[in-house]
Structure formats: structure tokens, C-alpha cells
Amino acid sequence: MAGIRAGGLLGWLAGALGLGRLRREQLALWDGALSDAGLAVLCISRAGLQASRLWHQRLGPPQGDWLDWLRHSHALDRQRLAPRLQGLLVVPSPFGAVLHERLRLSDGEGGWTWFELRAEVLERDARGLARLARCALSDARQRQAQREREASARGLFRFSGQAQALLDGAWRIEQANPAFHRLCADWDGAMEGQRPAVLGPEVLATGGHEASALWSQLSDAARARPDEAGWEGAVWIQDRHGQLRSLLLRLHVIETGEEEEADALEQAPRRFMLEIDDRSAAEAREKLLLGLARQDPLTGLLNEAGLTERIAQAQARWRPDQGALCVARLDVDGFARINTELGEQGGDRVLQHLAHSLRSALRGASGPQDAIARLGGDEFGLLLHVSDEQEAHQALRRLLRHARGAVQDRPLSVSMGATLYPMDEAAAETLMRHAASALNQAKRDGRDRHAMFDPGDGQASEQRSHQLRDLEQALELGELMLYYQPKIALADGRVVGMEALLRWRHPLQGVLGPDRFLHHVESSPLAGRLGDWVLQQGLAQAGRWRDQGLALELSLNISARHLQSPGFVARLRELLAQPGAPAPQQLCLELLESSALPDLGLAESVLRECRALGLKLALDDFGTGYANLAYLRRLPFDALKLDRSFVQTLLVNEKDQALVRNALALARELGLATVAEGAESPAHLDALRALGCQQAQGNGIALPMPADQVSVWLNARAGRLPG
């Protein structure tokens, strides 16, 4: 065999082909390109064995015969490939003209590296023997890694709970995972080679989508921004049982490696991935949840939250030519005596008869937008659309007559109070309070009558101003303080945090809860000052707990007015930067659901800035106020807190238990943590734990306490599980 020239494969090729210096330089470039591409090449000819530069580097100079280099391969591969390579050189070859195999070569350190081998005969002599043959080796590790990634992807595709299908350019199914087949079996049982029904023109039209426009949109996006090309949209389809199913579709363009060619020919993408989410069950739970949250279980009427929402909606629709809105409250005089005489069940029947009578009165003489609610106990609320104050008085007198005769053989004495919008230009919750004030006036005037709230009543205005001045003075004199109530993890009883609760250490009346003094603050400038004070005090205390080694998350209540005030985030950032302040991750801001957000976009922006600082966010008192799907979908909450009014009665009220169960299911669907307020006993904790709630707080765990008692309580509790 001829020896290897100095130029290796380069020199051999140039000499064999009789090339001059210029072509030699070109061949040098080719040899470099081979190395850059990771190709090691060995050639056999009458001149002997010649190798590329990269072959020299990996296997050394070729020696002996065509098969000598196999000594560097794994024994099993050598045994398998030696006869194939030898047979390739003769005709007829039992292995064909080209051999394409994978093999392992020594890495020089005791290990093995996978390579791709391609051996072929380029020229034969008259006898059929190889005159010119070539072996090319390329590192197969990248291809092997790609194969492993593809195998993993196929596994994920197959076992994913997400319904997924790979579509061709005409949206016909090429592959679909089991979850896709299970879901589509409910309507069309889509098979490979067919377009799924959810991408049919009729179904797409249910969501306002047009098939050809969507296809063009995705094709254009794939050419302009292949990494971002995709679409998401909602549709509805009727299943085999006649039920309307709500689906969320996602289409993604799949890059196939042929995109440049497709772009050049202005063709559409070759592949799409379709994903389907069935939202029907989640939306049904949301609908049930929202309905239960605004319904009184005893009478089937709206509850206070539902009526307040109706009033707010009516105010938003009101126009100057539409008369007035009459907001009224009614209760039964001496109902405690009735309850004593008839018992609790008898008292409930009286309330049910009264609800039926009032509802009949509305149906007989009122518009379809009027509403009635049971507010709690023996108290009812009404929303009436009237032309003026005179018609309001007439309507209230008619309702009183119906109420008095609601129970056969037992005349009732009923008092009512009402206010008129827009004469009383107040928010829905304030209108309810003004109606309650008028109801109290009717009782003071002798009961069994109605009274109308006077917005210009100087006495009420003066009383409100006096209360605000007292509270402002209490803030300046240091009479306000924060109490703290623990939150525990229901899984293991660990104390995970504290909620800060405002208290007024009144010099004459003792320690007052917020329900005694906060009702006028939200609509006053004092709301911002008071909220800022709570933030300062809470952050300072959280910092002290951190310095004591207590890993406690602190929850702070924030009002809608304070949240949306100018400079809120800047002030929060300033407080967090002060010496001794806790880490933002130690804090959670709780927004009351009963706080109306007039500018949802502003609220979303502010809350996202808070999240960016590292704070957690919770929706507090869920089920009692204004929250709707827009709140839950748009606002970046981390947790949902169930209102105590539902939690406290879940042991005895099946509807409240259903409400709690569905609220927890909704939270899981939205990826929110859950906290239940009002856990008053070990039985409550057991029930909440069984329903899947994650955290709880309430008097059954601990009463709210001053800051200096927290560490004492924690030490006393150490090692004990609640409930």
C-alpha cells in the first residue's frame, strides 16, 4: 500500500486528479469545510488509503487494509460491521452499494462515543471490484440526543392529560394522543386523516372565528414570526347528549426544518399542534358558585351581597329620564317573640310566607328589574324602580299591606325604611345603610310604618363628621393598634402566618372592632392616611418577627380607595426600603371583595406592580361582595379567602357546604391557594380539611391578639395539632 503523502487526502486528490496549485487551494478549503462539518473521511483507491485531517485527529493515520480502523470500535460493532464493509467492495455485494450504520468508537478515556458511518463505492473496475470507495464518520451524539428528546416528547404527548393532536397543513389529524380521542369521542370521534369538528366552520363561528381568515392569519404569522405563531380562542360545540360544551382551542405552528423552503415558495406551514381545554365543568362550577354566593338558602331570594350588586348595576344603567331607584329595608316587629312562641322551625315558616307575599307583591305591580332579598334574620331588602317620591311612598304602603297579611290568622307588624337615588347620591352599600337608618327611624316613630331617609338631614351628616373627627384624633393620639390572628396549614397544623386586624383602644368604650368605626372611612380622605398607618405598623412588626427568627407571613387588609390612590406603589416601595423592613415575600396584601373597583384596569396595573415587588395578593371575604369572573381572571391574586359567614355554617347548612366546596374547586381551577375564615371549632377544621382547603383561621384556632402575645401563644402551641 502506498504511504500517505504530506497532504493526506488533499494531496492524494490533487495528485490523482492532476490539479494545479489553484485547485489545491480550493481542495484545502474543502478539507477545512469537512472538518468544520464534523465529517472524518477515509478513501480507498489504487493509490492506497487516504484520510482527511479530521480522520487523522480522531483515528490516526490509516494503516493496513480497509478494515484496520475498526480496531478503535466496540467489539460488538466490529463483529457486525467487518463483513459488511468487506462485502461492499465486491460485486455483487450482498449489502448493496451504500452502507449506513451506527457504531461506537473509543473516546481514548475508557468510554465510547456514538458515530454515524456511511460507506459507499464510487467507482468499480471491469471485474466489479471497488476502484474508489469512501467511508465518512460523523459524531452521532447530537443526533442521539435529538432522538432521545423526540422519544421523551412522544412520551409526554402520549401520556399528557391535555388533549393534543398533530395536524397537517390542511388541519387533518396526523397523530392524536389518548386524551384527545377521549374528549372528541363526546362529539365526533375524530380519526387520523380527518379534520376535527372543532376546527369546522360552524363550530369556529360559535366563537366569532372564520376558518379561512384564521388559516391565513396563522400562515402569515408563521412566515413573519415562526417562534410566536399561534392562536387561542373559545368555541362551543354540542356533544352526543345534547349538552353545550365550552372549549378553549390553541393552535401552534410546528417548525419542521423546511420553513426556509416553504417561505421561499410562499407556502403555508406544514404542521400545526392543536390543544383543547374543556372548560364546561369549570364554568358550571363558577356559575353555581356565583349563584350560591348571592342566594339566601331559607327563602331562595337574593342575599345582601346579591341585592347590593343589583343596586350597583341599576345605578350604572340609570338615566335622568328613568325616574328614581327606591332602596328599602323591612323587618318584622317583635320577631323574637314569634320565634319563642313557634320555635325556630315555625319562625322560619313565617319568614318563608313573608318572602312569598313580598315576591307576589312585586310580581303584581312592579317592573321586571325590581328585586327582593333576605338580608339575614327577619330583615328583607328591596329595590324598586319608581317615577318619583310619591310613587315610592305608594309602593312602600302596598308592600306593608302585603307583609301584614303574609301569615294566615297571625297579622304581622312590619316596619320599613327607604331612600331614593339619585336624590341620595351614594354608592350601593351606602344606600343600604341609609335605608337601615330610615328603618330605625320608623321603629322610633312607633313601628308598623315606613320612613324615608333625608339626605339633607344635618343631624346624620354631623354625626358622621363627628365620628370621622374622633377617629382622626384616635390616630394622632396612638389609640389605634393592630391585633394579629394566626393562620394554620390544615395538612399539618403549622402556623404559617398572621393577619393584622385594626382595633381602637377607645378611652371610654374599651377595645372596639372595625365594624364599630370604619363604615364611614372608605368614602373619606381619612382612608388613605389610615391605610398608610396600617402598612407602616404591619411592616415594622413583620420585621421584628423576622429578627426574632419567626418565619411568619403577614397579611394586611387594603381598601380599594387606598389601593387606587396616587403613589400607592411608590409609598409601598419606600416602606419596604426602610431599615428593619421585612422581605416583600413575607407580606400578603388582602383586597376586600366587598370593595368596589371603579377602574379595574388601574387596579390590575397596581396589583401587578405589587407582585413585581415580591408581595403576595389575596382576595378577601370571597362570596360577600362585588367579585366576578373579571376580577378572578384579570387580577393577579395568589389566594382566595372564603368569608366566615359561609364557613361558620357549613356544618349545619348544606348549601353553604356546597358553596365552600365549589369555591375551593374554583380556586384549584385558577391555581389559587385557599384560606377559610371563621373556623370556630375542631369540627370546622376537620370539615375544611376533608374538602381540600389548605389554610384556615378563626376563633377556634386563636382569638386576635396584641403583637406582644404572639410569641407567647406560639410557644404554648408548639407541637400541638389543631382540631
Side-chain angles (χ1 to χ4, degrees):
M1 182 195 74
I4 301 202
R5 301 183 180 96
L9 181 66
L10 166 64
W12 173 77
L13 282 173
L17 297 174
L19 300 175
R21 179 173 180 179
L22 178 62
R23 297 297 297 275
R24 288 174 181 269
E25 293 174 354
Q26 291 177 336
L27 287 171
L29 294 175
W30 294 344
D31 194 21
L34 287 174
S35 298
D36 292 342
L39 288 173
V41 180
L42 174 71
C43 288
I44 181 173
S45 70
R46 287 174 298 176
L49 295 172
Q50 308 294 336
S52 69
R53 184 173 58 195
L54 191 56
W55 187 286
H56 279 251
Q57 293 173 1
R58 285 183 173 165
L59 300 173
Q63 298 175 6
D65 60 21
W66 167 252
L67 303 179
D68 178 71
W69 65 272
L70 282 176
R71 71 180 187 276
H72 299 286
S73 67
H74 192 283
L76 294 177
D77 297 329
R78 185 163 59 250
Q79 182 181 1
R80 175 173 54 89
L81 292 175
R84 290 173 174 264
L85 285 168
Q86 190 64 44
L88 189 67
L89 301 180
V90 299
V91 171
S93 170
F95 305 108
V98 178
L99 185 66
H100 195 181
E101 295 282 350
R102 298 175 70 246
L103 76 160
R104 290 157 288 188
L105 294 177
S106 171
D107 61 7
E109 298 178 357
W112 301 96
T113 300
W114 281 101
F115 280 81
E116 299 277 354
L117 167 67
R118 180 181 175 87
E120 57 186 323
V121 175
L122 304 175
E123 183 182 336
R124 295 184 184 273
D125 62 17
R127 295 172 298 169
L129 299 178
R131 177 179 293 169
L132 181 62
R134 177 180 64 201
C135 281
L137 291 170
S138 60
D139 194 329
R141 283 175 294 188
Q142 291 184 349
R143 292 189 182 183
Q144 178 68 14
Q146 178 65 21
R147 289 191 185 97
E148 292 173 356
R149 286 195 295 270
E150 290 174 355
S152 298
R154 286 193 296 271
L156 289 173
F157 178 72
R158 180 180 177 186
F159 297 110
S160 171
Q162 169 82 59
Q164 297 174 321
L166 183 64
L167 312 179
D168 65 14
W171 290 354
R172 293 183 296 257
I173 298 173
E174 291 187 343
Q175 299 179 52
N177 67 359
F180 186 91
H181 286 300
R182 286 194 299 270
L183 181 60
C184 292
D186 286 343
W187 48 82
D188 70 343
M191 302 296 291
E192 276 73 7
Q194 300 176 352
R195 175 182 287 198
V198 294
L199 292 179
E202 298 84 3
V203 176
L204 286 173
T206 64
H209 317 298
E210 202 274 319
S212 59
L214 175 57
W215 192 86
S216 299
Q217 171 192 333
L218 281 169
S219 299
D220 293 343
R223 285 190 289 269
R225 303 180 305 278
D227 294 339
E228 303 174 14
W231 169 83
E232 178 179 295
V235 298
W236 286 263
I237 190 171
Q238 193 172 47
D239 65 18
R240 297 185 188 277
H241 309 291
Q243 299 296 317
L244 198 62
R245 304 281 283 274
S246 173
L247 307 176
L248 181 66
L249 309 183
R250 299 185 189 88
L251 272 172
H252 308 281
V253 174
I254 303 298
E255 296 187 32
T256 64
E258 301 172 345
E259 285 73 20
E260 291 184 6
E261 177 184 350
D263 288 347
L265 298 175
E266 297 188 357
Q267 295 174 348
R270 303 292 182 89
R271 299 287 186 276
F272 296 89
M273 175 64 78
L274 170 64
E275 296 179 341
I276 307 178
D277 284 338
D278 186 354
R279 305 187 304 174
S280 308
E283 289 186 358
R285 279 194 293 269
E286 291 171 357
K287 185 176 180 181
L288 174 62
L289 172 65
L290 294 175
L292 288 173
R294 282 148 178 77
Q295 187 180 58
D296 171 57
L298 178 64
T299 63
L301 300 175
L302 292 172
N303 60 14
E304 184 166 4
L307 181 62
T308 304
E309 185 175 64
R310 286 282 190 91
I311 295 169
Q313 292 169 352
Q315 287 179 295
R317 291 191 301 265
W318 181 86
R319 298 292 180 270
D321 60 348
Q322 294 177 341
L325 304 176
C326 178
V327 177
R329 297 179 81 122
L330 167 156
D331 77 1
V332 180
D333 300 324
F335 184 75
R337 184 179 68 254
I338 296 174
N339 233 3
T340 302
E341 292 175 4
L342 302 180
E344 185 174 339
Q345 291 184 345
D348 285 348
R349 284 194 294 272
V350 168
L351 295 175
Q352 289 169 337
H353 284 301
L354 179 55
H356 177 74
S357 179
L358 292 171
R359 188 158 40 196
S360 299
L362 288 187
R363 287 173 180 165
S366 301
Q369 295 179 327
D370 291 347
I372 178 173
R374 178 178 175 235
L375 308 181
D378 62 322
E379 191 171 5
F380 293 79
L382 300 110
L383 169 64
L384 309 174
H385 291 70
V386 297
S387 58
D388 52 28
E389 185 173 355
Q390 181 180 356
E391 185 182 349
H393 283 287
Q394 293 172 352
L396 296 175
R397 284 193 289 267
R398 184 183 68 252
L399 288 166
L400 279 175
R401 287 195 302 271
H402 277 267
R404 289 169 184 146
V407 182
Q408 191 174 7
D409 301 328
R410 191 182 187 97
L412 298 179
S413 172
V414 178
S415 299
M416 295 183 71
T419 188
L420 286 175
Y421 177 88
M423 298 73 156
D424 183 0
E425 293 185 300
E429 287 184 314
T430 305
L431 290 176
M432 292 284 283
R433 287 199 296 269
H434 289 173
S437 177
L439 172 60
N440 291 333
Q441 183 61 47
K443 288 182 175 294
R444 287 194 297 268
D445 290 344
R447 302 176 182 249
D448 198 28
R449 66 191 66 219
H450 76 274
M452 193 70 72
F453 178 79
D454 181 3
D457 185 354
Q459 181 178 358
S461 178
E462 177 60 30
Q463 182 180 11
R464 183 165 57 252
S465 298
H466 180 72
Q467 289 176 336
L468 288 173
R469 283 197 301 271
D470 283 352
L471 186 57
E472 186 172 16
Q473 186 178 33
L475 180 60
E476 293 170 355
L477 295 176
E479 294 175 358
L480 299 182
M481 60 188 304
L482 293 180
Y483 273 38
Y484 300 90
Q485 188 170 43
K487 289 189 298 185
I488 66 167
L490 285 169
D492 54 16
R494 287 179 302 108
V495 179
V496 294
M498 296 280 172
E499 181 180 4
L501 302 169
L502 187 61
R503 296 292 186 266
W504 183 356
R505 195 166 42 204
H506 198 282
L508 300 178
Q509 301 177 49
V511 177
L512 304 179
D515 57 324
R516 296 283 301 277
F517 59 88
L518 275 185
H519 44 279
H520 294 310
V521 172
E522 176 66 9
S523 58
S524 77
L526 186 57
R529 284 187 58 197
L530 190 57
D532 188 75
W533 180 87
V534 169
L535 285 177
Q536 289 185 60
Q537 298 299 312
L539 266 63
Q541 183 58 54
R544 287 192 286 271
W545 282 334
R546 179 204 58 198
D547 294 341
Q548 296 168 14
L550 298 178
L552 296 173
E553 179 187 275
L554 178 63
S555 297
L556 298 166
N557 292 296
I558 192 75
S559 70
R561 183 186 181 99
H562 189 200
L563 177 76
Q564 298 182 105
S565 61
F568 174 82
V569 176
R571 175 59 173 159
L572 189 58
R573 189 180 290 110
E574 177 186 340
L575 292 173
L576 288 169
Q578 292 181 356
Q585 294 76 15
Q586 195 179 340
L587 303 173
C588 177
L589 296 184
E590 295 186 0
L591 179 67
L592 290 175
E593 190 204 10
S594 57
S595 298
L597 294 170
D599 188 341
L600 193 58
L602 174 60
E604 179 184 12
S605 174
V606 172
L607 290 174
R608 291 197 183 281
E609 287 190 73
C610 293
R611 280 284 300 274
L613 291 176
L615 280 74
K616 297 178 183 176
L617 303 171
L619 181 62
D620 197 9
D621 292 346
F622 182 71
T624 63
Y626 293 87
N628 53 37
L629 297 185
Y631 273 39
L632 297 176
R633 286 174 177 163
R634 287 188 58 181
L635 302 184
F637 292 116
D638 300 290
L640 205 63
K641 295 191 71 175
L642 304 183
D643 183 64
R644 68 183 68 252
S645 63
F646 306 115
V647 175
Q648 289 171 338
T649 56
L650 70 86
L651 298 178
V652 295
N653 188 308
E654 291 183 358
K655 287 194 173 182
D656 281 350
Q657 188 177 104
L659 173 64
V660 171
R661 182 184 301 110
N662 281 279
L664 295 173
L666 174 62
R668 282 192 293 272
E669 290 284 343
L670 298 174
L672 302 177
T674 50
V675 185
E677 298 177 315
E680 303 297 330
S681 69
H684 282 92
L685 297 176
D686 290 338
L688 290 167
R689 192 180 295 116
L691 289 171
C693 187
Q694 295 169 316
Q695 298 179 11
Q697 70 182 85
N699 294 344
I701 301 168
L703 293 170
M705 64 192 79
D708 57 6
Q709 295 181 16
V710 169
S711 58
V712 177
W713 180 84
L714 288 171
N715 290 333
R717 179 186 169 78
R720 291 190 292 113
L721 258 178

PDB file of all heavy atoms in Angstrom, residues 527-537 562 571 575:
ATOM      1  N   ALA A 527     -59.275  57.526  54.629  1.00  0.00           N
ATOM      2  CA  ALA A 527     -58.989  56.140  54.236  1.00  0.00           C
ATOM      3  C   ALA A 527     -57.519  55.969  53.867  1.00  0.00           C
ATOM      4  O   ALA A 527     -56.879  54.982  54.253  1.00  0.00           O
ATOM      5  CB  ALA A 527     -59.882  55.735  53.067  1.00  0.00           C
ATOM      6  N   GLY A 528     -56.968  56.918  53.107  1.00  0.00           N
ATOM      7  CA  GLY A 528     -55.568  56.809  52.702  1.00  0.00           C
ATOM      8  C   GLY A 528     -54.613  56.896  53.878  1.00  0.00           C
ATOM      9  O   GLY A 528     -53.667  56.116  53.981  1.00  0.00           O
ATOM     10  N   ARG A 529     -54.851  57.862  54.792  1.00  0.00           N
ATOM     11  CA  ARG A 529     -53.978  58.010  55.969  1.00  0.00           C
ATOM     12  C   ARG A 529     -54.022  56.769  56.842  1.00  0.00           C
ATOM     13  O   ARG A 529     -52.990  56.284  57.328  1.00  0.00           O
ATOM     14  CB  ARG A 529     -54.415  59.226  56.788  1.00  0.00           C
ATOM     15  CG  ARG A 529     -54.013  60.578  56.213  1.00  0.00           C
ATOM     16  CD  ARG A 529     -54.339  61.690  57.198  1.00  0.00           C
ATOM     17  NE  ARG A 529     -53.675  61.481  58.478  1.00  0.00           N
ATOM     18  CZ  ARG A 529     -54.021  62.089  59.621  1.00  0.00           C
ATOM     19  NH1 ARG A 529     -55.040  62.942  59.609  1.00  0.00           N
ATOM     20  NH2 ARG A 529     -53.366  61.860  60.719  1.00  0.00           N
ATOM     21  N   LEU A 530     -55.237  56.263  57.063  1.00  0.00           N
ATOM     22  CA  LEU A 530     -55.385  55.089  57.923  1.00  0.00           C
ATOM     23  C   LEU A 530     -54.729  53.866  57.279  1.00  0.00           C
ATOM     24  O   LEU A 530     -54.045  53.083  57.957  1.00  0.00           O
ATOM     25  CB  LEU A 530     -56.870  54.829  58.176  1.00  0.00           C
ATOM     26  CG  LEU A 530     -57.216  53.798  59.247  1.00  0.00           C
ATOM     27  CD1 LEU A 530     -56.601  54.180  60.582  1.00  0.00           C
ATOM     28  CD2 LEU A 530     -58.733  53.668  59.378  1.00  0.00           C
ATOM     29  N   GLY A 531     -54.914  53.698  55.968  1.00  0.00           N
ATOM     30  CA  GLY A 531     -54.283  52.576  55.283  1.00  0.00           C
ATOM     31  C   GLY A 531     -52.766  52.649  55.336  1.00  0.00           C
ATOM     32  O   GLY A 531     -52.088  51.637  55.514  1.00  0.00           O
ATOM     33  N   ASP A 532     -52.212  53.857  55.213  1.00  0.00           N
ATOM     34  CA  ASP A 532     -50.768  54.031  55.289  1.00  0.00           C
ATOM     35  C   ASP A 532     -50.251  53.690  56.678  1.00  0.00           C
ATOM     36  O   ASP A 532     -49.189  53.077  56.834  1.00  0.00           O
ATOM     37  CB  ASP A 532     -50.397  55.464  54.911  1.00  0.00           C
ATOM     38  CG  ASP A 532     -48.896  55.654  54.791  1.00  0.00           C
ATOM     39  OD1 ASP A 532     -48.322  55.191  53.790  1.00  0.00           O
ATOM     40  OD2 ASP A 532     -48.297  56.254  55.693  1.00  0.00           O
ATOM     41  N   TRP A 533     -51.019  54.066  57.698  1.00  0.00           N
ATOM     42  CA  TRP A 533     -50.620  53.749  59.078  1.00  0.00           C
ATOM     43  C   TRP A 533     -50.587  52.233  59.283  1.00  0.00           C
ATOM     44  O   TRP A 533     -49.661  51.694  59.907  1.00  0.00           O
ATOM     45  CB  TRP A 533     -51.599  54.402  60.059  1.00  0.00           C
ATOM     46  CG  TRP A 533     -51.271  54.123  61.500  1.00  0.00           C
ATOM     47  CD1 TRP A 533     -50.432  54.830  62.310  1.00  0.00           C
ATOM     48  CD2 TRP A 533     -51.777  53.034  62.305  1.00  0.00           C
ATOM     49  NE1 TRP A 533     -50.373  54.258  63.563  1.00  0.00           N
ATOM     50  CE2 TRP A 533     -51.195  53.147  63.587  1.00  0.00           C
ATOM     51  CE3 TRP A 533     -52.655  51.997  62.054  1.00  0.00           C
ATOM     52  CZ2 TRP A 533     -51.476  52.266  64.617  1.00  0.00           C
ATOM     53  CZ3 TRP A 533     -52.932  51.091  63.076  1.00  0.00           C
ATOM     54  CH2 TRP A 533     -52.348  51.233  64.341  1.00  0.00           C
ATOM     55  N   VAL A 534     -51.590  51.530  58.750  1.00  0.00           N
ATOM     56  CA  VAL A 534     -51.625  50.074  58.881  1.00  0.00           C
ATOM     57  C   VAL A 534     -50.410  49.454  58.196  1.00  0.00           C
ATOM     58  O   VAL A 534     -49.773  48.539  58.742  1.00  0.00           O
ATOM     59  CB  VAL A 534     -52.938  49.517  58.284  1.00  0.00           C
ATOM     60  CG1 VAL A 534     -52.875  47.987  58.171  1.00  0.00           C
ATOM     61  CG2 VAL A 534     -54.126  49.933  59.138  1.00  0.00           C
ATOM     62  N   LEU A 535     -50.058  49.948  57.007  1.00  0.00           N
ATOM     63  CA  LEU A 535     -48.876  49.429  56.316  1.00  0.00           C
ATOM     64  C   LEU A 535     -47.607  49.648  57.140  1.00  0.00           C
ATOM     65  O   LEU A 535     -46.785  48.739  57.295  1.00  0.00           O
ATOM     66  CB  LEU A 535     -48.725  50.102  54.954  1.00  0.00           C
ATOM     67  CG  LEU A 535     -49.683  49.668  53.840  1.00  0.00           C
ATOM     68  CD1 LEU A 535     -49.439  50.493  52.585  1.00  0.00           C
ATOM     69  CD2 LEU A 535     -49.513  48.188  53.528  1.00  0.00           C
ATOM     70  N   GLN A 536     -47.452  50.865  57.693  1.00  0.00           N
ATOM     71  CA  GLN A 536     -46.247  51.158  58.484  1.00  0.00           C
ATOM     72  C   GLN A 536     -46.140  50.229  59.686  1.00  0.00           C
ATOM     73  O   GLN A 536     -45.088  49.621  59.935  1.00  0.00           O
ATOM     74  CB  GLN A 536     -46.291  52.608  58.966  1.00  0.00           C
ATOM     75  CG  GLN A 536     -46.098  53.656  57.887  1.00  0.00           C
ATOM     76  CD  GLN A 536     -46.041  55.047  58.492  1.00  0.00           C
ATOM     77  OE1 GLN A 536     -45.181  55.349  59.315  1.00  0.00           O
ATOM     78  NE2 GLN A 536     -46.980  55.895  58.093  1.00  0.00           N
ATOM     79  N   GLN A 537     -47.243  50.133  60.443  1.00  0.00           N
ATOM     80  CA  GLN A 537     -47.218  49.326  61.663  1.00  0.00           C
ATOM     81  C   GLN A 537     -47.018  47.846  61.343  1.00  0.00           C
ATOM     82  O   GLN A 537     -46.256  47.147  62.018  1.00  0.00           O
ATOM     83  CB  GLN A 537     -48.527  49.526  62.438  1.00  0.00           C
ATOM     84  CG  GLN A 537     -48.775  50.954  62.899  1.00  0.00           C
ATOM     85  CD  GLN A 537     -47.691  51.437  63.851  1.00  0.00           C
ATOM     86  OE1 GLN A 537     -47.330  50.745  64.799  1.00  0.00           O
ATOM     87  NE2 GLN A 537     -47.170  52.619  63.593  1.00  0.00           N
ATOM     88  N   HIS A 562     -57.638  53.088  48.930  1.00  0.00           N
ATOM     89  CA  HIS A 562     -56.213  53.223  49.227  1.00  0.00           C
ATOM     90  C   HIS A 562     -55.373  52.616  48.098  1.00  0.00           C
ATOM     91  O   HIS A 562     -54.371  53.198  47.660  1.00  0.00           O
ATOM     92  CB  HIS A 562     -55.897  52.538  50.555  1.00  0.00           C
ATOM     93  CG  HIS A 562     -54.511  52.791  51.053  1.00  0.00           C
ATOM     94  ND1 HIS A 562     -53.889  51.991  51.976  1.00  0.00           N
ATOM     95  CD2 HIS A 562     -53.611  53.763  50.752  1.00  0.00           C
ATOM     96  CE1 HIS A 562     -52.671  52.451  52.212  1.00  0.00           C
ATOM     97  NE2 HIS A 562     -52.481  53.518  51.485  1.00  0.00           N
ATOM     98  N   ARG A 571     -45.127  54.509  47.586  1.00  0.00           N
ATOM     99  CA  ARG A 571     -45.079  54.538  49.047  1.00  0.00           C
ATOM    100  C   ARG A 571     -44.754  53.152  49.603  1.00  0.00           C
ATOM    101  O   ARG A 571     -43.962  53.033  50.554  1.00  0.00           O
ATOM    102  CB  ARG A 571     -46.430  55.018  49.586  1.00  0.00           C
ATOM    103  CG  ARG A 571     -46.556  54.984  51.100  1.00  0.00           C
ATOM    104  CD  ARG A 571     -45.507  55.833  51.782  1.00  0.00           C
ATOM    105  NE  ARG A 571     -45.749  55.924  53.217  1.00  0.00           N
ATOM    106  CZ  ARG A 571     -44.824  56.238  54.113  1.00  0.00           C
ATOM    107  NH1 ARG A 571     -43.583  56.516  53.715  1.00  0.00           N
ATOM    108  NH2 ARG A 571     -45.130  56.295  55.387  1.00  0.00           N
ATOM    109  N   LEU A 575     -41.545  52.142  51.971  1.00  0.00           N
ATOM    110  CA  LEU A 575     -41.627  51.474  53.271  1.00  0.00           C
ATOM    111  C   LEU A 575     -40.789  50.196  53.294  1.00  0.00           C
ATOM    112  O   LEU A 575     -40.162  49.875  54.306  1.00  0.00           O
ATOM    113  CB  LEU A 575     -43.086  51.155  53.603  1.00  0.00           C
ATOM    114  CG  LEU A 575     -43.995  52.358  53.880  1.00  0.00           C
ATOM    115  CD1 LEU A 575     -45.446  51.915  54.030  1.00  0.00           C
ATOM    116  CD2 LEU A 575     -43.544  53.103  55.141  1.00  0.00           C
TER     117      LEU A 575
END
